[in-house]
Amino acid sequence: MSEAVLSVRNLRTYFMYKDAEVHAVDGVDLDVRAGEIVCLVGESGCGKSMTSLSIMRLVPQPAGRIVSGKILLDGVDLLRLSEDEMTDVRGNQISMIFQEPMTALNPVLTVGDQITEVLLRHRRMRKREAWQRAVEMLEFVGVARAAQIVHEYPHQLSGGMRQRVMIAMAMVCEPKLLIADEPTTALDVTIQAQVLDLMRKMRDDFGTALILITHDLGVVAEMADRVVVMYAGQVVESTDADTLFEEPSHPYTRGLLRSIPSLSDDTETLYSIPGTVPDAAAFPEGCRFADRCPLAQPECLATAPVLREVRPGHWVRCHFADKGSVSV
Amino acid sequence: MTTAQALLEVQDLKKYFPVQKGVLRRTVGYVKAVDGVSFRLQPGETLGIVGESGCGKSTLARTIMRVLEPTAGKILLDGQDISQLSGKALRRIRRKFQMVFQDPYASLNPRMSVQDIIAEPLVVNGLVAARDIPAVVADLLEKVGLKADDRQRYPHEFSGGQRQRIGIARAIAVQPRLIVADEAVSALDVSIQAQILNLMQGLKQELGLSYVFISHNLAVVRYISDQVGVMYLGHLVELTTKQALYQQPLHPYSEALLSAALEPSRKHKRERILLRGDVPNPAHPPTGCPFHTRCPKVMDVCRQSRPTLREAAPGHWVACHLH
Ligand SMILES: Nc1ncnc2c1ncn2[C@@H]1O[C@H](COP(=O)(O)OP(=O)(O)OP(=O)(O)O)[C@@H](O)[C@H]1O
Ligand SMILES: Nc1ncnc2c1ncn2[C@@H]1O[C@H](COP(=O)(O)OP(=O)(O)OP(=O)(O)O)[C@@H](O)[C@H]1O
Ligand SMILES: [Mg+2]
Ligand SMILES: [Mg+2]
């Protein structure tokens, strides 16, 4: 296997308030290899967006702070870069696509202005040349009438088109790593299929590595090489996509997979994981999933499990992950 | 379709939005967001509505709810035409049908306590005495799986799934017969989504509620619905039981839609029918069948005449020249 483009080690991102300390990201390890598609899944509030904002060094200020860890991009620790150096990285070596394209696009600039702005910042390019490249990029992402669309404003475009413009903007400098946070949640299935095909094409043609955050396990099955499951600020399982769907190991991952209604069968009653996620300002001592886990033992409440490699390439944070055939 | 008294019957419902131009705001055309939709919903039944973005699902929901004025057509609730009601008569009938919205963040007033939010429709309708409100609200909160103590808290103190439950508690407070849910679980992660879906199913059995359930998640619609309607450009193009639709879709658009949905499995990957292009502009819909510009099975007749919704098999309605 090739070297990791991105290695996150023991990342902790907290929100500091007078009366509370919210442990949004609490010791995350993550590796992404060149050209690999890694899907990041987990319950709402488990720290997926904060992990990616930490990688971009865009954690909300002033309350949010990266308190420890390393974020290595091709061996360079991004946490040691100055703000100026980091500006050169963003949009150039790492790009991010946000869930709601309307908030990330500037409503008063044309599509062409926004794409060329990225090029003018990171590449020594004349305006004419940048404009030409913007049109090419829009054509590449499948925007029909690209030469006209460059002159239009975001509100004139449909949801699917805006998402393509976002991808064009993120990819125009051919970054090593693209982070996409729920890129298709707002889209219907037919447009979703188009956007996913496009992201795979980006990987195939440019070798871009992709971190894809989604709560849609159908998207995970379709796209992922590897899947990282987060729970309460930590990684609880990390493995290749086939293993995740065939032999999920962590009881939380299994619960998640059982909670999805089926498209091809009639489900009588749908399983749902009992209880709720623990408060990120007061995580329990032991396993963070213990009070919702059907397999919990006294040991689970007492000591926190570590992320262990139970089989080559399959990491699980559970005391019982390799203790025979446990079933939920 | 049966002849028994339907809870909700929608007859040839239309909602057109004027397209205006110039300083004089002259009307130069219409967006036919809902263009002649008809269906019947029996008590205790759930009708799922699916279709691409912009096909008119939300407009249909809001028009049924009488949040929007219908351009034409009838809406019968328990046999009574409510499409022309206004003022006090409309407020009185509102009790019977409630709406749950997509966004649990935007649809709850952040300055009101949970108790005030849930009690509002009760107070407006004069259904409970002030001194009974805490007990009634506590009971509703428990019904949706929240705690009686949550009464005094404010929306921002709850997670997305919990807020969605508050919205549902408010909707069921007035004991409606029908709930229209517009993308009510779309913003939720799968484990919270499962909790909300089970809650809605439970209320259906316990209170005999009916739902019109709008979603772009086809697996969720299959789980929750009895009947499913497929919309395209303001028209219902297929309407049948969920079994028939998911096992044997008749309309080429339904086929394409189902084929584009992703399964959470690495094993059975289906052949996808990729639709070319975007949905046509609803201000300038194509002639003939609204789907003919993207239909992989288009015939000459499709460009000329619009197919009507016909019963192609018992209980299976489709608007397509192939059937
Ligand atoms: N500005 C903030 N101040 C305090 N806490 C915050 C802030 N932003 C996020 N958090 C907390 O950090 C934790 C992680 O949030 P994050 O947005 O990363 O979750 P997520 O996994 O992306 O969830 P979702 O699936 O809902 O997007 C949550 O507990 C959240 O409440
Ligand atoms: N108030 C309005 N004025 C003018 N046009 C409108 C208005 N509301 C909706 N429309 C148009 O009517 C059509 C149907 O919109 P609607 O919101 O009902 O679609 P939808 O099926 O709910 O889509 P989505 O899945 O994106 O929510 C769209 O073309 C939309 O632009
Ligand atoms: Mg997030
Ligand atoms: Mg809508």
Side-chain angles (χ1 to χ4, degrees):
Chain A
M1 287 228 194
S2 63
E3 276 286 289
V5 219
L6 179 81
S7 279
V8 175
R9 287 287 168 271
N10 196 27
L11 178 70
R12 291 176 201 274
T13 303
Y14 294 174
F15 288 92
M16 311 289 192
Y17 293 106
K18 267 188 270 140
D19 51 351
E21 197 179 88
V22 177
H23 294 196
V25 178
D26 209 12
V28 161
D29 293 319
L30 185 67
D31 282 301
V32 184
R33 297 186 187 87
E36 191 178 38
I37 299 181
V38 174
C39 284
L40 200 54
V41 301
E43 197 136 327
S44 180
C46 69
K48 305 181 293 292
S49 295
M50 281 311 142
T51 299
S52 43
L53 288 174
S54 303
I55 295 168
M56 295 290 285
R57 289 212 4 216
L58 291 173
V59 174
Q61 302 290 334
R65 199 181 309 156
I66 298 173
V67 297
S68 73
K70 282 199 177 82
I71 299 173
L72 303 172
L73 184 72
D74 275 338
V76 176
D77 189 353
L78 298 183
L79 296 182
R80 290 174 177 273
L81 298 188
S82 70
E83 191 44 52
D84 273 357
E85 290 168 323
M86 194 60 208
T87 309
D88 287 340
V89 171
R90 268 186 229 120
N92 189 13
Q93 300 191 51
I94 312 179
S95 283
M96 184 156 173
I97 299 173
F98 299 87
Q99 172 164 1
E100 183 32 72
M102 263 331 248
T103 58
L105 290 172
N106 188 333
V108 301
L109 290 182
T110 64
V111 165
D113 284 330
Q114 308 199 38
I115 300 176
T116 49
E117 193 183 53
V118 183
L119 284 168
L120 296 174
R121 185 170 344 119
H122 295 298
R123 295 279 183 276
R124 275 198 210 109
M125 242 187 213
R126 290 167 199 276
K127 191 124 195 208
R128 267 268 283 305
E129 210 183 331
W131 204 262
Q132 183 56 39
R133 179 87 185 105
V135 173
E136 281 169 20
M137 200 63 206
L138 285 173
E139 279 167 355
F140 182 82
V141 299
V143 169
R145 303 186 298 119
Q148 276 168 284
I149 297 286
V150 278
H151 299 292
E152 295 188 354
Y153 292 88
H155 74 263
Q156 293 173 278
L157 309 176
S158 74
M161 295 247 276
R162 275 181 218 142
Q163 206 60 284
R164 283 159 196 267
V165 169
M166 287 281 304
I167 294 174
M169 229 166 100
M171 292 302 299
V172 73
C173 290
E174 299 175 23
K176 295 174 193 157
L177 174 68
L178 176 66
I179 304 176
D181 194 350
E182 303 273 9
T184 60
T185 307
L187 305 177
D188 62 71
V189 288
T190 52
I191 299 172
Q192 167 173 287
Q194 297 171 358
V195 170
L196 294 179
D197 280 346
L198 174 60
M199 292 207 287
R200 215 178 353 234
K201 187 169 169 213
M202 290 291 170
R203 187 267 297 270
D204 296 344
D205 291 10
F206 296 106
T208 313
L210 178 64
I211 297 180
L212 182 60
I213 299 177
T214 179
H215 62 234
D216 186 336
L217 287 145
V219 171
V220 176
E222 178 75 15
M223 297 290 288
D225 297 317
R226 254 168 2 96
V227 186
V228 172
V229 184
M230 285 184 69
Y231 188 80
Q234 301 178 324
V235 173
V236 295
E237 184 156 5
S238 163
T239 183
D240 66 274
D242 288 330
T243 306
L244 187 102
F245 285 98
E246 301 308 323
E247 298 169 66
S249 231
H250 198 285
Y252 172 67
T253 312
R254 294 186 201 185
L256 214 54
L257 288 168
R258 285 180 68 194
S259 307
I260 319 161
S262 165
L263 187 66
S264 47
D265 289 304
D266 286 315
T267 318
E268 270 304 312
T269 35
L270 191 59
Y271 175 80
S272 79
I273 304 172
T276 52
V277 255
D279 182 358
F283 282 131
E285 278 290 304
C287 172
R288 295 178 181 183
F289 187 61
D291 66 336
R292 303 175 76 186
C293 182
L295 303 175
Q297 302 294 318
E299 181 185 353
C300 304
L301 296 170
T303 44
V306 294
L307 193 63
R308 297 180 294 137
E309 192 168 21
V310 294
R311 272 176 294 278
H314 188 171
W315 297 74
V316 188
R317 190 186 291 274
C318 172
H319 291 307
F320 299 102
D322 48 357
K323 305 266 158 70
S325 61
V326 281
S327 59
V328 178
Chain B
M1 294 180 210
T2 56
T3 45
Q5 168 95 49
L7 170 70
L8 174 70
E9 181 165 356
V10 170
Q11 293 177 351
D12 204 20
L13 192 65
K14 294 181 180 165
K15 177 65 196 177
Y16 295 176
F17 295 106
V19 180
Q20 291 164 331
K21 270 240 167 77
V23 277
L24 296 175
R25 317 282 319 142
R26 271 210 344 268
T27 297
V28 294
Y30 291 94
V31 173
K32 299 178 174 179
V34 173
D35 197 14
V37 167
S38 305
F39 64 82
R40 296 161 62 100
L41 179 65
Q42 303 301 329
E45 212 180 53
T46 299
L47 171 69
I49 303 271
V50 299
E52 246 165 357
S53 181
C55 70
K57 304 180 297 291
S58 297
T59 305
L60 175 64
R62 288 200 288 261
T63 311
I64 292 171
M65 291 301 298
R66 290 293 319 275
V67 177
L68 292 173
E69 279 306 298
T71 305
K74 285 193 173 136
I75 306 158
L76 306 175
L77 198 65
D78 278 334
Q80 182 191 1
D81 185 3
I82 62 160
S83 61
Q84 304 300 324
L85 293 185
S86 59
K88 206 167 171 190
L90 181 59
R91 273 200 300 282
R92 205 170 325 117
I93 202 97
R94 267 270 151 69
R95 274 185 52 194
K96 289 195 185 176
F97 56 122
Q98 292 284 315
M99 187 147 173
V100 177
F101 298 89
Q102 164 162 15
D103 189 346
Y105 300 86
S107 58
L108 302 177
N109 185 334
R111 280 179 293 276
M112 282 166 74
S113 71
V114 167
Q115 169 157 312
D116 292 343
I117 288 170
I118 294 174
E120 192 180 37
L122 291 167
V123 174
V124 169
N125 286 291
L127 295 177
V128 280
R131 65 177 184 305
D132 294 334
I133 285 175
V136 170
V137 171
D139 185 50
L140 285 164
L141 283 172
E142 276 163 9
K143 212 168 238 139
V144 298
L146 296 171
K147 294 192 292 283
D149 290 346
D150 292 334
R151 279 198 317 269
Q152 308 307 334
R153 299 169 67 195
Y154 287 81
H156 72 265
E157 298 173 55
F158 293 89
S159 73
Q162 290 170 329
R163 285 183 223 205
Q164 201 57 290
R165 287 159 183 260
I166 297 170
I168 292 173
R170 175 175 60 182
I172 64 171
V174 290
Q175 300 180 348
R177 310 272 317 276
L178 170 70
I179 288 183
V180 176
D182 188 4
E183 302 281 6
V185 298
S186 309
L188 307 175
D189 71 69
V190 290
S191 64
I192 299 172
Q193 172 182 288
Q195 291 175 2
I196 300 282
L197 291 176
N198 286 337
L199 169 65
M200 291 179 72
Q201 288 290 55
L203 293 170
K204 177 178 163 184
Q205 271 134 34
E206 197 183 323
L207 309 175
L209 275 175
S210 301
Y211 296 101
V212 173
F213 189 94
I214 295 168
S215 176
H216 60 235
N217 186 326
L218 294 163
V220 165
V221 168
R222 177 165 195 164
Y223 175 62
I224 197 100
S225 306
D226 302 302
Q227 303 272 326
V228 182
V230 181
M231 275 184 87
Y232 190 80
L233 266 192
H235 301 276
L236 265 184
V237 296
E238 186 157 1
L239 176 64
T240 184
T241 62
K242 70 167 162 195
Q243 288 82 7
L245 182 75
Y246 283 77
Q247 277 156 27
Q248 205 171 44
L250 294 180
H251 200 286
Y253 174 65
S254 311
E255 268 185 274
L257 197 66
L258 286 167
S259 80
L262 300 174
E263 287 258 45
S265 156
R266 301 280 280 185
K267 285 211 180 114
H268 26 264
K269 291 242 163 95
R270 273 158 311 146
E271 196 61 27
R272 265 202 240 142
I273 307 166
L274 269 191
L275 288 181
R276 309 202 148 272
D278 283 332
V279 190
N281 181 345
H284 303 285
T287 56
C289 173
F291 186 56
H292 89 253
T293 55
R294 302 167 77 199
C295 184
K297 297 179 180 169
V298 63
M299 307 175 290
D300 275 343
V301 59
C302 307
R303 298 188 183 91
Q304 273 116 46
S305 79
R306 207 186 91 198
T308 52
L309 199 63
R310 273 184 315 221
E311 195 165 11
H316 198 148
W317 296 72
V318 61
C320 175
H321 289 304
L322 286 169
H323 301 282

